[in-house]
Amino acid sequence: MPRNVNHIAKLPAIQRLPNYLRALKEMNRRGREYVSAAHLAGLMGLVPIVVSKDLALTGVQGKPRVGYAVPSLIECIERFLGWNNTRDAFLVGAGHLGGALLGYSGFEDNGMRIVAAFDVAPEKVGSEIYGKKIFHLDRLREMAKRMKIHMGILTVPARMAQEALDQMVAAGIWGIWNFTAANLDAPENVVVQNQDLSAGLAVLSTRMKDARKSGGATKRPSSRRLRAKKPPAEK
Amino acid sequence: MPRNVNHIAKLPAIQRLPNYLRALKEMNRRGREYVSAAHLAGLMGLVPIVVSKDLALTGVQGKPRVGYAVPSLIECIERFLGWNNTRDAFLVGAGHLGGALLGYSGFEDNGMRIVAAFDVAPEKVGSEIYGKKIFHLDRLREMAKRMKIHMGILTVPARMAQEALDQMVAAGIWGIWNFTAANLDAPENVVVQNQDLSAGLAVLSTRMKDARKSGGATKRPSSRRLRAKKPPAEK
DNA sequence: TAGATTGTTAATCGATTAACAATC
DNA sequence: TAGATTGTTAATCGATTAACAATC
């Protein structure tokens, strides 16, 4: 009986899964059949036990001695993330960033397909960006209901974000990827995932500041160089 | 004596700081002098103790009974993040996403100014995007050294990412904000901050999947509705 | 003063790491 | 078989939450 149910466990592990998935799909294309946790760990600068634990989360079963079957591992990760059924999504706010996301083809490998975009600027409405049509925001509700869209990407200016979110929610969208810096208020049953760029920049900045102080060594084990092997005992 | 020095503590707290900072700057514009941790917490759907602990990290001193002085809190957060001195940065890869980042004006509030961009496409070189000039990648090294640029944004296609990173490192850039999905290899003294969009999408997807299962309730306390107050005892 | 709020110390909870057993 | 690798259980470490003391 957890005290706080407003909580999703294993966040860090979930965030690592897409990285494994990408590598696995590439291996699959090349015809590789099995892979060990240690091999995956080597590719992404992690220690093997992290990979094992993460993969176990998806329910995959490996074979001692040989590792995990690549195709079944891909299958398990995709199912765990809900990426086995691609969701259609609407994008709201076709500005700089929204346009860039419309042009990014990788999302289809991540269980999402952007099918249309919405904006209020008259010069944008009716046009296309990278082959996606831009509609007026007034049409969001009708189209979302008709096309049964439940996922949305929010890329409007921050001051318009709450209003746009309210319209998305009214349209039946209940999963929102929020690229604005606004602190949004949403009903309990709506999932809002904040993708705030300045958070990442804050981490980079402090790491750079700390590296300066300590002579340039403060760094997460992101490099292939740092490996799991114990340091050679003192000979 | 920590076992693993390749580690930066308080990651989650650092990522929340820019959000406080934004709200504080707005309050400052409006002339507000003091703010309590509880008030900030209310704005961003956190419990007050989290805010207190985060702010303490920056070394700020509050006054019991009144809260924190807004200007000094802004000052402390900026100094802690190293945002008091704006860093000049180069952007490498002026495609969809790179272009969008060039057009984003908010980074100057986050201690970073993009001063130029680099690409290899002949039709881009010599042009401008949102007022920033695009140079050929061949000029990166010379210009970075001359202008003493240490920070870079990497937005090239994934297959070119390692090559581009190597050039950036050779140019003396030692802090790299990596928007590509590539697992990059860098020298120990170079800080690489990965900003992988699919990680965020993975979290959104699993939260949506879990919400379906449990009747739409699995959600982090992102809403202003959930507040710190203890539930009213059973009357 | 009384009471709201900060600051500090302790307890809980979750994530990572380590040790080792199971297995092909 | 022997040994590499998975899977499981325990230990450590860090982040969050709770309790309470200090203070204006």
Side-chain angles (χ1 to χ4, degrees), chain A residues 197-202 204-206 208, chain B residues 21 25 78 81-92 97-98 100-116 132 149-155 168 173 175-179 193 195:
Chain A
L197 291 190
S198 54
L201 191 46
L204 176 59
S205 301
T206 46
M208 288 181 77
Chain B
L21 188 57
K25 284 183 173 175
E78 288 192 329
L81 293 174
W83 287 1
N84 47 337
N85 302 322
T86 299
R87 279 183 199 270
D88 286 343
F90 279 172
L91 181 142
V92 178
L97 181 57
L101 297 181
L102 289 176
Y104 180 61
S105 55
F107 292 138
E108 310 225 344
D109 277 330
N110 299 174
M112 182 178 76
R113 175 172 39 231
I114 307 178
V115 293
K132 316 269 167 138
I149 304 291
H150 302 300
M151 192 182 225
I153 305 175
L154 186 53
T155 48
M168 291 165 85
I173 290 172
I176 294 172
W177 200 8
N178 172 33
F179 281 81
Q193 177 67 26
Q195 184 79 41

Tab-separated table of all heavy atoms in Angstrom, chain A residues 197-202 204-206 208, chain B residues 21 25 78 81-92 97-98 100-116 132 149-155 168 173 175-179 193 195:
chain	number	residue	atom	x	y	z
A	197	LEU	N	13.534	22.466	-21.822
A	197	LEU	CA	14.932	22.509	-22.257
A	197	LEU	C	15.844	23.161	-21.232
A	197	LEU	O	17.002	22.780	-21.087
A	197	LEU	CB	15.049	23.263	-23.581
A	197	LEU	CG	14.458	22.578	-24.807
A	197	LEU	CD1	14.860	23.322	-26.064
A	197	LEU	CD2	14.927	21.138	-24.894
A	198	SER	N	15.340	24.133	-20.499
A	198	SER	CA	16.255	24.831	-19.596
A	198	SER	C	16.722	23.932	-18.451
A	198	SER	O	17.774	24.186	-17.862
A	198	SER	CB	15.639	26.128	-19.068
A	198	SER	OG	14.398	25.886	-18.486
A	199	ALA	N	15.966	22.878	-18.159
A	199	ALA	CA	16.430	21.925	-17.158
A	199	ALA	C	17.733	21.268	-17.619
A	199	ALA	O	18.684	21.158	-16.847
A	199	ALA	CB	15.361	20.869	-16.887
A	200	GLY	N	17.772	20.853	-18.867
A	200	GLY	CA	18.980	20.244	-19.412
A	200	GLY	C	20.140	21.223	-19.448
A	200	GLY	O	21.280	20.875	-19.129
A	201	LEU	N	19.826	22.437	-19.809
A	201	LEU	CA	20.862	23.463	-19.863
A	201	LEU	C	21.411	23.762	-18.465
A	201	LEU	O	22.607	24.006	-18.293
A	201	LEU	CB	20.286	24.730	-20.502
A	201	LEU	CG	21.245	25.849	-20.892
A	201	LEU	CD1	22.468	25.331	-21.626
A	201	LEU	CD2	20.527	26.886	-21.740
A	202	ALA	N	20.538	23.689	-17.465
A	202	ALA	CA	20.990	23.906	-16.090
A	202	ALA	C	21.996	22.833	-15.680
A	202	ALA	O	23.003	23.125	-15.031
A	202	ALA	CB	19.794	23.908	-15.133
A	204	LEU	N	23.922	21.025	-17.722
A	204	LEU	CA	25.167	21.274	-18.465
A	204	LEU	C	25.968	22.405	-17.823
A	204	LEU	O	27.177	22.284	-17.596
A	204	LEU	CB	24.852	21.619	-19.919
A	204	LEU	CG	26.055	22.001	-20.797
A	204	LEU	CD1	27.076	20.883	-20.859
A	204	LEU	CD2	25.608	22.386	-22.216
A	205	SER	N	25.295	23.481	-17.488
A	205	SER	CA	25.986	24.642	-16.913
A	205	SER	C	26.674	24.301	-15.604
A	205	SER	O	27.845	24.645	-15.398
A	205	SER	CB	24.989	25.775	-16.674
A	205	SER	OG	24.356	26.149	-17.874
A	206	THR	N	25.959	23.615	-14.718
A	206	THR	CA	26.578	23.300	-13.424
A	206	THR	C	27.718	22.304	-13.600
A	206	THR	O	28.740	22.405	-12.914
A	206	THR	CB	25.569	22.738	-12.413
A	206	THR	OG1	24.783	21.753	-13.035
A	206	THR	CG2	24.667	23.827	-11.878
A	208	MET	N	29.662	22.130	-16.141
A	208	MET	CA	30.806	22.900	-16.647
A	208	MET	C	31.436	23.735	-15.541
A	208	MET	O	32.658	23.795	-15.413
A	208	MET	CB	30.382	23.791	-17.817
A	208	MET	CG	30.097	23.021	-19.089
A	208	MET	SD	29.630	24.069	-20.507
A	208	MET	CE	31.232	24.716	-21.004
B	21	LEU	N	13.471	30.002	-11.051
B	21	LEU	CA	14.086	31.242	-11.528
B	21	LEU	C	13.143	32.026	-12.425
B	21	LEU	O	12.997	33.244	-12.297
B	21	LEU	CB	15.369	30.894	-12.283
B	21	LEU	CG	16.270	32.047	-12.697
B	21	LEU	CD1	16.692	32.881	-11.504
B	21	LEU	CD2	17.503	31.513	-13.436
B	25	LYS	N	11.781	35.776	-11.565
B	25	LYS	CA	12.032	36.948	-12.415
B	25	LYS	C	10.727	37.663	-12.728
B	25	LYS	O	10.680	38.892	-12.764
B	25	LYS	CB	12.735	36.516	-13.708
B	25	LYS	CG	14.201	36.209	-13.495
B	25	LYS	CD	14.889	35.854	-14.813
B	25	LYS	CE	16.390	35.725	-14.630
B	25	LYS	NZ	17.063	35.266	-15.859
B	78	GLU	N	21.136	32.035	-9.932
B	78	GLU	CA	21.943	32.276	-11.135
B	78	GLU	C	23.410	31.961	-10.880
B	78	GLU	O	24.071	31.349	-11.708
B	78	GLU	CB	21.768	33.716	-11.616
B	78	GLU	CG	20.390	33.939	-12.240
B	78	GLU	CD	20.276	35.256	-12.985
B	78	GLU	OE1	20.949	36.226	-12.570
B	78	GLU	OE2	19.513	35.316	-13.959
B	81	LEU	N	23.987	28.195	-10.756
B	81	LEU	CA	23.941	27.541	-12.066
B	81	LEU	C	25.051	28.050	-12.997
B	81	LEU	O	25.237	27.506	-14.089
B	81	LEU	CB	22.591	27.786	-12.734
B	81	LEU	CG	21.367	27.144	-12.077
B	81	LEU	CD1	20.094	27.599	-12.778
B	81	LEU	CD2	21.470	25.623	-12.106
B	82	GLY	N	25.753	29.075	-12.561
B	82	GLY	CA	26.742	29.686	-13.441
B	82	GLY	C	26.100	30.527	-14.517
B	82	GLY	O	26.686	30.758	-15.573
B	83	TRP	N	24.904	30.995	-14.275
B	83	TRP	CA	24.184	31.792	-15.273
B	83	TRP	C	24.383	33.287	-15.062
B	83	TRP	O	23.785	34.092	-15.769
B	83	TRP	CB	22.682	31.452	-15.256
B	83	TRP	CG	22.386	30.110	-15.854
B	83	TRP	CD1	23.290	29.224	-16.357
B	83	TRP	CD2	21.093	29.495	-16.020
B	83	TRP	NE1	22.652	28.094	-16.816
B	83	TRP	CE2	21.309	28.240	-16.616
B	83	TRP	CE3	19.787	29.891	-15.709
B	83	TRP	CZ2	20.250	27.375	-16.919
B	83	TRP	CZ3	18.746	29.021	-16.015
B	83	TRP	CH2	18.975	27.778	-16.613
B	84	ASN	N	25.193	33.652	-14.086
B	84	ASN	CA	25.440	35.078	-13.877
B	84	ASN	C	26.369	35.631	-14.953
B	84	ASN	O	26.278	36.784	-15.323
B	84	ASN	CB	25.998	35.321	-12.465
B	84	ASN	CG	27.120	34.362	-12.113
B	84	ASN	OD1	27.213	33.276	-12.694
B	84	ASN	ND2	27.970	34.740	-11.205
B	85	ASN	N	27.267	34.774	-15.476
B	85	ASN	CA	28.058	35.171	-16.638
B	85	ASN	C	27.553	34.399	-17.852
B	85	ASN	O	27.718	33.189	-17.920
B	85	ASN	CB	29.537	34.827	-16.438
B	85	ASN	CG	30.098	35.493	-15.213
B	85	ASN	OD1	29.763	36.632	-14.905
B	85	ASN	ND2	30.941	34.769	-14.477
B	86	THR	N	26.983	35.100	-18.802
B	86	THR	CA	26.471	34.430	-20.003
B	86	THR	C	27.624	33.868	-20.821
B	86	THR	O	28.627	34.539	-21.043
B	86	THR	CB	25.665	35.422	-20.848
B	86	THR	OG1	24.574	35.896	-20.074
B	86	THR	CG2	25.143	34.758	-22.105
B	87	ARG	N	27.472	32.619	-21.247
B	87	ARG	CA	28.487	32.002	-22.088
B	87	ARG	C	28.088	32.124	-23.555
B	87	ARG	O	26.931	31.903	-23.899
B	87	ARG	CB	28.570	30.496	-21.797
B	87	ARG	CG	29.365	30.116	-20.590
B	87	ARG	CD	29.393	28.584	-20.512
B	87	ARG	NE	29.739	28.112	-19.185
B	87	ARG	CZ	30.994	27.876	-18.793
B	87	ARG	NH1	31.998	28.067	-19.618
B	87	ARG	NH2	31.225	27.430	-17.574
B	88	ASP	N	29.058	32.391	-24.413
B	88	ASP	CA	28.797	32.350	-25.846
B	88	ASP	C	28.918	30.913	-26.324
B	88	ASP	O	29.752	30.147	-25.838
B	88	ASP	CB	29.800	33.227	-26.599
B	88	ASP	CG	29.508	34.709	-26.418
B	88	ASP	OD1	28.380	35.033	-26.003
B	88	ASP	OD2	30.401	35.534	-26.698
B	89	ALA	N	28.054	30.531	-27.266
B	89	ALA	CA	28.047	29.154	-27.750
B	89	ALA	C	27.915	29.108	-29.266
B	89	ALA	O	27.348	30.014	-29.885
B	89	ALA	CB	26.899	28.387	-27.105
B	90	PHE	N	28.442	28.040	-29.857
B	90	PHE	CA	28.266	27.763	-31.283
B	90	PHE	C	27.250	26.634	-31.432
B	90	PHE	O	27.215	25.716	-30.596
B	90	PHE	CB	29.590	27.307	-31.907
B	90	PHE	CG	30.527	28.434	-32.251
B	90	PHE	CD1	31.823	28.150	-32.664
B	90	PHE	CD2	30.123	29.765	-32.194
B	90	PHE	CE1	32.711	29.169	-32.997
B	90	PHE	CE2	30.999	30.787	-32.521
B	90	PHE	CZ	32.293	30.488	-32.918
B	91	LEU	N	26.495	26.708	-32.500
B	91	LEU	CA	25.570	25.620	-32.812
B	91	LEU	C	26.065	24.902	-34.060
B	91	LEU	O	26.389	25.549	-35.061
B	91	LEU	CB	24.158	26.179	-33.023
B	91	LEU	CG	23.060	25.160	-33.330
B	91	LEU	CD1	21.756	25.559	-32.633
B	91	LEU	CD2	22.809	25.025	-34.827
B	92	VAL	N	26.142	23.585	-33.990
B	92	VAL	CA	26.637	22.813	-35.132
B	92	VAL	C	25.514	21.952	-35.696
B	92	VAL	O	25.017	21.045	-35.013
B	92	VAL	CB	27.841	21.942	-34.728
B	92	VAL	CG1	28.325	21.113	-35.906
B	92	VAL	CG2	28.970	22.811	-34.194
B	97	LEU	N	15.855	21.205	-36.334
B	97	LEU	CA	15.925	21.475	-34.907
B	97	LEU	C	16.924	22.584	-34.596
B	97	LEU	O	16.639	23.496	-33.816
B	97	LEU	CB	16.310	20.189	-34.164
B	97	LEU	CG	16.387	20.315	-32.652
B	97	LEU	CD1	15.071	20.802	-32.064
B	97	LEU	CD2	16.785	18.990	-32.022
B	98	GLY	N	18.078	22.514	-35.231
B	98	GLY	CA	19.077	23.551	-35.023
B	98	GLY	C	18.517	24.931	-35.333
B	98	GLY	O	18.697	25.880	-34.559
B	100	ALA	N	15.421	25.858	-35.232
B	100	ALA	CA	14.453	26.232	-34.198
B	100	ALA	C	15.170	26.772	-32.958
B	100	ALA	O	14.756	27.766	-32.372
B	100	ALA	CB	13.590	25.029	-33.817
B	101	LEU	N	16.269	26.129	-32.592
B	101	LEU	CA	17.010	26.595	-31.415
B	101	LEU	C	17.628	27.969	-31.661
B	101	LEU	O	17.678	28.805	-30.757
B	101	LEU	CB	18.089	25.577	-31.029
B	101	LEU	CG	17.561	24.199	-30.615
B	101	LEU	CD1	18.711	23.284	-30.222
B	101	LEU	CD2	16.559	24.299	-29.478
B	102	LEU	N	18.067	28.204	-32.905
B	102	LEU	CA	18.604	29.534	-33.231
B	102	LEU	C	17.536	30.608	-33.056
B	102	LEU	O	17.834	31.748	-32.718
B	102	LEU	CB	19.109	29.567	-34.681
B	102	LEU	CG	20.387	28.789	-34.973
B	102	LEU	CD1	20.710	28.820	-36.464
B	102	LEU	CD2	21.555	29.357	-34.181
B	103	GLY	N	16.287	30.234	-33.274
B	103	GLY	CA	15.206	31.205	-33.178
B	103	GLY	C	14.639	31.380	-31.788
B	103	GLY	O	13.792	32.244	-31.549
B	104	TYR	N	15.110	30.569	-30.861
B	104	TYR	CA	14.576	30.642	-29.510
B	104	TYR	C	15.313	31.698	-28.707
B	104	TYR	O	16.523	31.627	-28.530
B	104	TYR	CB	14.691	29.280	-28.821
B	104	TYR	CG	14.165	29.280	-27.423
B	104	TYR	CD1	12.826	29.572	-27.158
B	104	TYR	CD2	14.991	29.001	-26.342
B	104	TYR	CE1	12.333	29.578	-25.871
B	104	TYR	CE2	14.510	29.004	-25.051
B	104	TYR	CZ	13.191	29.293	-24.822
B	104	TYR	OH	12.699	29.309	-23.548
B	105	SER	N	14.589	32.674	-28.209
B	105	SER	CA	15.235	33.805	-27.557
B	105	SER	C	15.429	33.590	-26.062
B	105	SER	O	16.093	34.377	-25.404
B	105	SER	CB	14.401	35.066	-27.780
B	105	SER	OG	13.080	34.838	-27.339
B	106	GLY	N	14.874	32.508	-25.533
B	106	GLY	CA	14.901	32.319	-24.088
B	106	GLY	C	16.251	31.929	-23.496
B	106	GLY	O	16.470	32.050	-22.296
B	107	PHE	N	17.170	31.459	-24.328
B	107	PHE	CA	18.431	30.957	-23.792
B	107	PHE	C	19.260	32.039	-23.102
B	107	PHE	O	20.057	31.744	-22.226
B	107	PHE	CB	19.260	30.293	-24.882
B	107	PHE	CG	18.671	29.013	-25.390
B	107	PHE	CD1	18.663	28.712	-26.744
B	107	PHE	CD2	18.121	28.082	-24.513
B	107	PHE	CE1	18.121	27.518	-27.212
B	107	PHE	CE2	17.584	26.889	-24.970
B	107	PHE	CZ	17.579	26.613	-26.326
B	108	GLU	N	19.060	33.273	-23.524
B	108	GLU	CA	19.864	34.331	-22.907
B	108	GLU	C	19.510	34.499	-21.429
B	108	GLU	O	20.326	34.955	-20.642
B	108	GLU	CB	19.693	35.653	-23.666
B	108	GLU	CG	19.884	35.470	-25.169
B	108	GLU	CD	20.744	36.540	-25.807
B	108	GLU	OE1	20.975	37.582	-25.200
B	108	GLU	OE2	21.201	36.296	-26.948
B	109	ASP	N	18.301	34.106	-21.070
B	109	ASP	CA	17.930	34.084	-19.659
B	109	ASP	C	18.521	32.872	-18.953
B	109	ASP	O	18.401	32.738	-17.736
B	109	ASP	CB	16.406	34.035	-19.506
B	109	ASP	CG	15.793	35.426	-19.613
B	109	ASP	OD1	16.468	36.394	-19.243
B	109	ASP	OD2	14.639	35.528	-20.067
B	110	ASN	N	19.076	31.969	-19.718
B	110	ASN	CA	19.622	30.743	-19.152
B	110	ASN	C	21.137	30.683	-19.300
B	110	ASN	O	21.723	29.607	-19.429
B	110	ASN	CB	18.995	29.510	-19.829
B	110	ASN	CG	17.484	29.427	-19.654
B	110	ASN	OD1	16.844	28.567	-20.221
B	110	ASN	ND2	16.891	30.331	-18.874
B	111	GLY	N	21.744	31.822	-19.313
B	111	GLY	CA	23.198	31.878	-19.276
B	111	GLY	C	23.905	31.512	-20.564
B	111	GLY	O	25.100	31.263	-20.558
B	112	MET	N	23.162	31.458	-21.680
B	112	MET	CA	23.807	31.064	-22.933
B	112	MET	C	23.371	31.962	-24.082
B	112	MET	O	22.207	32.306	-24.188
B	112	MET	CB	23.459	29.618	-23.270
B	112	MET	CG	24.135	29.125	-24.537
B	112	MET	SD	23.763	27.400	-24.920
B	112	MET	CE	22.119	27.547	-25.566
B	113	ARG	N	24.337	32.339	-24.916
B	113	ARG	CA	24.006	33.101	-26.121
B	113	ARG	C	24.614	32.378	-27.323
B	113	ARG	O	25.823	32.133	-27.363
B	113	ARG	CB	24.573	34.516	-26.013
B	113	ARG	CG	24.372	35.344	-27.289
B	113	ARG	CD	24.783	36.801	-27.062
B	113	ARG	NE	25.968	36.877	-26.238
B	113	ARG	CZ	26.089	37.641	-25.145
B	113	ARG	NH1	25.099	38.411	-24.763
B	113	ARG	NH2	27.215	37.642	-24.456
B	114	ILE	N	23.770	32.010	-28.264
B	114	ILE	CA	24.276	31.374	-29.482
B	114	ILE	C	24.764	32.481	-30.404
B	114	ILE	O	23.989	33.365	-30.778
B	114	ILE	CB	23.181	30.554	-30.187
B	114	ILE	CG1	22.540	29.562	-29.209
B	114	ILE	CG2	23.761	29.815	-31.390
B	114	ILE	CD1	21.413	28.734	-29.798
B	115	VAL	N	26.045	32.434	-30.758
B	115	VAL	CA	26.607	33.548	-31.519
B	115	VAL	C	26.799	33.216	-32.997
B	115	VAL	O	26.930	34.123	-33.816
B	115	VAL	CB	27.940	34.042	-30.917
B	115	VAL	CG1	27.684	34.675	-29.556
B	115	VAL	CG2	28.935	32.910	-30.796
B	116	ALA	N	26.820	31.941	-33.334
B	116	ALA	CA	26.966	31.571	-34.740
B	116	ALA	C	26.595	30.106	-34.909
B	116	ALA	O	26.540	29.356	-33.943
B	116	ALA	CB	28.394	31.804	-35.230
B	132	LYS	N	21.257	34.811	-37.152
B	132	LYS	CA	22.547	34.197	-36.830
B	132	LYS	C	23.186	33.677	-38.118
B	132	LYS	O	22.540	32.941	-38.868
B	132	LYS	CB	22.360	33.016	-35.867
B	132	LYS	CG	21.393	33.283	-34.732
B	132	LYS	CD	22.081	33.828	-33.500
B	132	LYS	CE	21.040	34.366	-32.549
B	132	LYS	NZ	21.219	34.063	-31.159
B	149	ILE	N	35.361	30.257	-27.643
B	149	ILE	CA	34.071	29.603	-27.397
B	149	ILE	C	34.323	28.239	-26.760
B	149	ILE	O	35.142	27.455	-27.239
B	149	ILE	CB	33.306	29.414	-28.721
B	149	ILE	CG1	33.117	30.743	-29.441
B	149	ILE	CG2	31.981	28.707	-28.464
B	149	ILE	CD1	32.178	31.693	-28.778
B	150	HIS	N	33.605	27.966	-25.679
B	150	HIS	CA	33.812	26.696	-24.973
B	150	HIS	C	32.564	25.819	-24.947
B	150	HIS	O	32.599	24.690	-24.484
B	150	HIS	CB	34.263	26.972	-23.543
B	150	HIS	CG	35.508	27.777	-23.472
B	150	HIS	ND1	36.696	27.349	-24.021
B	150	HIS	CD2	35.767	29.001	-22.949
B	150	HIS	CE1	37.642	28.260	-23.827
B	150	HIS	NE2	37.092	29.288	-23.186
B	151	MET	N	31.446	26.376	-25.415
B	151	MET	CA	30.188	25.654	-25.313
B	151	MET	C	29.607	25.462	-26.710
B	151	MET	O	29.676	26.377	-27.548
B	151	MET	CB	29.229	26.482	-24.455
B	151	MET	CG	27.987	25.752	-24.024
B	151	MET	SD	26.943	26.908	-23.070
B	151	MET	CE	26.468	25.896	-21.702
B	152	GLY	N	29.035	24.280	-26.941
B	152	GLY	CA	28.478	24.004	-28.259
B	152	GLY	C	27.186	23.212	-28.189
B	152	GLY	O	26.952	22.465	-27.244
B	153	ILE	N	26.350	23.427	-29.207
B	153	ILE	CA	25.089	22.702	-29.317
B	153	ILE	C	25.176	21.815	-30.541
B	153	ILE	O	25.509	22.297	-31.629
B	153	ILE	CB	23.913	23.680	-29.462
B	153	ILE	CG1	23.907	24.668	-28.301
B	153	ILE	CG2	22.601	22.928	-29.561
B	153	ILE	CD1	22.838	25.737	-28.433
B	154	LEU	N	24.884	20.546	-30.358
B	154	LEU	CA	25.060	19.581	-31.436
B	154	LEU	C	23.704	19.140	-31.970
B	154	LEU	O	22.945	18.456	-31.270
B	154	LEU	CB	25.857	18.386	-30.907
B	154	LEU	CG	26.293	17.315	-31.896
B	154	LEU	CD1	27.047	17.899	-33.074
B	154	LEU	CD2	27.153	16.281	-31.188
B	155	THR	N	23.397	19.541	-33.208
B	155	THR	CA	22.087	19.221	-33.808
B	155	THR	C	22.245	18.700	-35.229
B	155	THR	O	21.428	19.000	-36.088
B	155	THR	CB	21.185	20.475	-33.826
B	155	THR	OG1	21.916	21.594	-34.340
B	155	THR	CG2	20.673	20.806	-32.448
B	168	MET	N	34.410	19.620	-32.763
B	168	MET	CA	34.141	20.607	-31.720
B	168	MET	C	35.203	20.524	-30.636
B	168	MET	O	35.740	21.545	-30.171
B	168	MET	CB	32.745	20.387	-31.139
B	168	MET	CG	31.623	20.719	-32.123
B	168	MET	SD	30.005	20.083	-31.622
B	168	MET	CE	29.432	21.389	-30.528
B	173	ILE	N	36.096	23.301	-27.716
B	173	ILE	CA	34.786	23.297	-27.060
B	173	ILE	C	34.751	22.120	-26.086
B	173	ILE	O	35.043	20.993	-26.469
B	173	ILE	CB	33.661	23.202	-28.106
B	173	ILE	CG1	33.595	24.512	-28.884
B	173	ILE	CG2	32.327	22.875	-27.446
B	173	ILE	CD1	32.666	24.495	-30.077
B	175	GLY	N	32.123	21.822	-23.523
B	175	GLY	CA	30.785	21.606	-22.959
B	175	GLY	C	29.821	21.482	-24.121
B	175	GLY	O	29.677	22.411	-24.910
B	176	ILE	N	29.207	20.310	-24.260
B	176	ILE	CA	28.420	20.052	-25.472
B	176	ILE	C	27.016	19.583	-25.113
B	176	ILE	O	26.833	18.607	-24.375
B	176	ILE	CB	29.125	18.984	-26.341
B	176	ILE	CG1	30.452	19.564	-26.864
B	176	ILE	CG2	28.228	18.566	-27.515
B	176	ILE	CD1	31.331	18.568	-27.580
B	177	TRP	N	26.049	20.308	-25.632
B	177	TRP	CA	24.639	19.978	-25.426
B	177	TRP	C	24.213	19.154	-26.635
B	177	TRP	O	24.049	19.680	-27.725
B	177	TRP	CB	23.838	21.268	-25.325
B	177	TRP	CG	22.503	21.147	-24.678
B	177	TRP	CD1	21.991	20.060	-24.044
B	177	TRP	CD2	21.507	22.177	-24.577
B	177	TRP	NE1	20.742	20.350	-23.556
B	177	TRP	CE2	20.424	21.632	-23.869
B	177	TRP	CE3	21.431	23.500	-25.023
B	177	TRP	CZ2	19.268	22.364	-23.595
B	177	TRP	CZ3	20.283	24.229	-24.746
B	177	TRP	CH2	19.220	23.666	-24.040
B	178	ASN	N	24.058	17.862	-26.424
B	178	ASN	CA	23.869	16.927	-27.525
B	178	ASN	C	22.397	16.598	-27.758
B	178	ASN	O	21.794	15.876	-26.975
B	178	ASN	CB	24.638	15.643	-27.213
B	178	ASN	CG	24.359	14.535	-28.209
B	178	ASN	OD1	24.136	14.798	-29.387
B	178	ASN	ND2	24.373	13.298	-27.740
B	179	PHE	N	21.853	17.111	-28.843
B	179	PHE	CA	20.458	16.827	-29.181
B	179	PHE	C	20.306	15.611	-30.082
B	179	PHE	O	19.193	15.253	-30.442
B	179	PHE	CB	19.815	18.043	-29.860
B	179	PHE	CG	19.403	19.122	-28.901
B	179	PHE	CD1	20.331	20.030	-28.405
B	179	PHE	CD2	18.084	19.223	-28.469
B	179	PHE	CE1	19.950	21.019	-27.512
B	179	PHE	CE2	17.699	20.212	-27.566
B	179	PHE	CZ	18.631	21.117	-27.092
B	193	GLN	N	26.211	16.735	-22.428
B	193	GLN	CA	24.888	16.654	-21.825
B	193	GLN	C	23.902	16.200	-22.893
B	193	GLN	O	23.644	16.904	-23.864
B	193	GLN	CB	24.479	18.029	-21.265
B	193	GLN	CG	23.093	18.070	-20.678
B	193	GLN	CD	22.971	17.225	-19.420
B	193	GLN	OE1	23.950	16.990	-18.725
B	193	GLN	NE2	21.770	16.755	-19.153
B	195	GLN	N	20.406	15.421	-24.524
B	195	GLN	CA	19.042	15.936	-24.436
B	195	GLN	C	18.210	15.086	-25.399
B	195	GLN	O	17.847	15.524	-26.489
B	195	GLN	CB	19.028	17.410	-24.857
B	195	GLN	CG	17.696	18.107	-24.722
B	195	GLN	CD	17.410	18.510	-23.296
B	195	GLN	OE1	18.287	18.978	-22.598
B	195	GLN	NE2	16.167	18.324	-22.883
